[in-house]
Amino acid sequence: MHDDRLLVEGRLERALRQFIRPAQYADRVPLTLSVWHAPGEPVPVAEALKASYEPFEAGTEWGKPWSTSWFRLRGQVPEEWTGRHVEVVIDPGFTGDGPGFQAEGLVYDATGVPLKGIHPRNRHIPVAAAARGGEPVHLLLEAAANPLVLHDFEPTPLGDVLTAGDRPIYRFASADVAVLDEDVWQLTLDIEVLSELMYELDAARPRRHEILRALERALDALDLHDVSGTAAAARAELAEVLASPAHASAHRVSATGHAHIDSAWLWPLRETVRKASRTFANVTALAQDYPELVFACSQAQQYAWVKEHQPHIWERIKKAVTDGNWAPVGSMWVESDANMPGGEALARQITHGMRFFREELGVQTQEIWLPDSFGYTAAFPQLAKLAGVRWFLTQKLSWNQTNKMPHHTFWWEGIDGTRVFTHFPPVDTYNSQIHGAELAHAERNFAEKGRATRSLVPFGWGDGGGGPTREMLEKARRTRSLEGSPRVEIEKPSAFFAAAEEEYGAKAPVWSGELYLELHRATYTTQAATKRGNRRTEHALREAELWCTAASVRDSSYVYPYADLDRLWKTVLLHQFHDILPGSSIAWVHREARDTYARVLAELDEITAEAVRSLGAGEPAALNSSPYARSEVVTADDGTLVHVSVPALGSKGLAEAASYTRETGATALLADGEIQLLNEHLRVAIDEDGLLTSVHDIDAQREVLSPASRGNLLQLHPDHPTHYDAWDLDKHYRNTHTDLTEAESVELVEDGPLRVAVRVVRAFGNSRITQEIRLAAGSRRVDVVTDVDWRESEKVLKAAFPLDVHAERSAAEIQFGHVHRSTHANTGWDAARFEICAHRWLRVAEEAYGVAVLNDSTYGHDVTRAPHGDGLGTTVRLTLLRAPHSPDPETDQGTHRFTYALLPGATIGDAVAEGLALNLPLRVADAPVLPSLVSVDNPAVTVESVKLADDGSGDVVVRLYESRGGRAAATLTTSFAVSAAEVTDLLERPTEEAHTDSAGLVLALRPFQIVTLRLRPAR
């Protein structure tokens, strides 16, 4: 037989494109339009209902970037359409083939009740499944003129309303009342499902040819000039091949509706409120026609927005949850970044998310749902388990540049040994269309074939595309059991996970440690001001909760600011979303983030000041929010320096400290063109270029820097990633760099006795950097206080410390512990980690000696092996600033202030304590002398937070963890009387009585174990 497959396939494709799809709407009648262009920001529908409208014609331009126009659509169903399926079909000017990222709309009825969103691939509004004829059509369309910002990563002013301009960017195409020809629509879906499957089958498979010939017969039965009249006959030719059941061994797909809505990205936060509303309206409307629909939806913040702004949609969501059509998932406030949020912040992401779902919807979520974050901390498994979460889902590691993850279903083991059952959907998307190619890819790609039989497929358009569509549901119906295709079953993610764990849990492999994304490494650095705002507000919240708790247990009249702290935490958690904190959003988002962080910090400062005032009268004192006692130099209100020793989580008067005369201090010497800074621990030499030529550890009697090298060397690299400007730092950046060695000035600006400092000023390109290298009396830390006026374009700035330490691996702080990473590149996995994330510290060490590099707002680092004449050293670099042009063309331009530090002779414990000290500077205020509010007698046990319980009971909650990677026995004591103590889960629900003896509360922690305690103050 002659092979005419290509001819038949070409005939099919043309018929579908040119004749069948256009015939889905048999008749159309234009609606009458009028418009009100809302000035400024979006307004509620109540205001739009009262506005004055003017006539508007299809084909007219509308919508300057980021504006909102309200359109009235009026008409009626023609009398002759009696009994027909009638819809309104709206095209406000959609462009291109994409499902979203452009104009969107929410349609209301004449009274202002929201009905459904409209999107490029979801344009219809139901009128009547069987029209009577003559029905009036009165609709109100809220149309958002959102611009397409991301276009080949080219710089554009469209990413901020302040720079986007006033030129209209859309032309309203049409708004019609139309007849949906259901036979033609169903025929279209039949053909799509079968042809998509056919193209995935091997040409040698009989099934492929059965489908081809059935499609050919359908084409023969179809009159292309009377598609409507012959569609039923064409469908009849396809019935047999559609009815052929799937093989018993077919891969099983659990399909769940989904709409990944970034809480901000190429649009501001305020637009996400509307994106969520449109999509949620779509889903609740779709469930009325497809009772099998299950929609998995994460991010409690988006639910809260819809509850506040769209109460009608909120009530529909609650009903959908009750009816089983809606599955709240994710357990988190937002789908946050999973590298940079601090430990307590990540815990609060989970507690705030789970509490919202439980209190508002009566749902106990059971999974972490992070399909799109840029890598995942190894702290997650333990946090999940402590919250009662059983499962973890992501998809993003399918984006790895170098190494393919070996598993799709496995146990993920965290740094403490806790394991969580994890799934990566092998479909490699969280925006599936239930397309035949996607289903076939899921089956072929599934790594557990032969051992497991099922995977998850999240389907639906995200980010303004409107979520699942009726076409997707129809395709799922057809592929529930279809020969040659995986079996598709729509169900809740929890049903998938339970079945997958039952089938495979006992034999699933284990992945230990972080899930590092081999891509998007620049997100540790881009938008430095946003990252500094995150770090500062995290620590300011920690400080505020501590002193508010102290005030509460000391003063019964003090009112703990539950509501304010809850609101501020949620603001910070929102800004940890995985396109805000990583720096990959438009200029508008980051401009607002900077302003928001400033407001949050100011409010937290006032809350903390009020709490300190409530502690009682006193003289000027230093208050220590760190869980470690400190002996350091602080600046008093009058500008003088005072060396003070302060207990952990307590205070010490400055007057007493000032009366103490230190035997040793800090001094400076000028000799042979160098400036030497000295104290009892360190001798630091700075040359005429302002670079460190020597850091001598007096206690260890060894040099810290590698021979013939210089430390704090600023290095400027060209930074041109292949694709994702804000996201990527591609390895080729290392091929070229410039050492910034030339200094405008190097001068001694403080010469003791409590602190010495050298100021170095450099100019390069269009930028200017001023650094003060400081050494304080009694300190083992060399601080580099940095002010930068950054005006570079597509450059990355690094600070290098070549260390004479033979380190096989680095240790980097993460949430509630640290991870080790190789310094070599022996394997592809090692080589791919050429840029890594660290929180407050990164340490490299050889036997019995280590050096840590600390920071107060930097996350990106790299660590390399550096041979020298006497052996092998290790170079640690901090990634300070970038200057990409997309999506924000002015990324990081302007002034920045941050501090990093070198800590010679550092153990892990030293790094933990000094990292906290750098990030929690002593607060100077009038206050009484206070003992430690909470004290732990083993420094390996680190107190992470002290607060009052969220339930308003007045109980004190203390969260702590083992921070050094070993076993730790400890006793916890408090400065207030305790009547009862319990161990709780992450959500402060008691799990067991705490063990106490005459000395206090007895603790025994395994490596990196997190423990949450609930203490009832005696009253």
Side-chain angles (χ1 to χ4, degrees), residues 533-609:
N534 176 71
R535 184 78 69 85
R536 296 274 59 77
T537 52
E538 283 182 341
H539 288 79
L541 280 160
R542 177 189 191 126
E543 184 181 20
E545 287 185 334
L546 170 68
W547 299 120
C548 289
T549 302
S552 295
V553 299
R554 284 177 62 91
D555 180 0
S556 60
S557 66
Y558 176 77
V559 179
Y560 189 87
Y562 288 103
D564 289 337
L565 290 171
D566 180 80
R567 172 176 50 81
L568 293 168
W569 260 116
K570 288 174 179 173
T571 300
V572 173
L573 298 180
L574 167 59
H575 285 78
Q576 291 178 340
F577 178 73
H578 68 254
D579 277 308
I580 303 179
L581 179 53
S584 46
S585 288
I586 56 174
W588 191 350
V589 173
H590 291 289
R591 172 171 57 81
E592 289 190 331
R594 292 190 293 271
D595 293 342
T596 298
Y597 283 130
R599 290 194 299 271
V600 170
L601 286 170
E603 190 169 351
L604 285 170
D605 187 64
E606 181 52 39
I607 287 172
T608 302

Side-chain angles (χ1 to χ4, degrees), residues 936-957:
V936 183
D937 64 0
N938 185 337
V941 179
T942 301
V943 175
E944 176 72 8
S945 64
V946 181
K947 60 188 284 291
L948 290 195
D950 290 336
D951 62 6
S953 63
D955 291 353
V956 175
V957 171

Side-chain angles (χ1 to χ4, degrees), residues 254-259 283-284 286-288 290-297 303 320-321 323-329 367 369 434 456-460 467-469 472-473 476 489-496:
S254 296
T256 187
H258 186 237
V283 171
T284 52
L286 188 62
Q288 297 174 27
Y290 293 88
E292 72 269 30
L293 172 64
V294 173
F295 179 66
C297 185
Y303 288 75
V321 171
D323 293 346
N325 299 118
W326 191 294
V329 297
E367 66 289 296
W369 184 279
I434 313 292
L456 188 70
V457 171
F459 68 92
T469 66
M472 296 173 190
L473 271 296
E489 188 74 33
I490 294 178
E491 58 186 356
K492 292 182 179 180
S494 59
F496 160 75

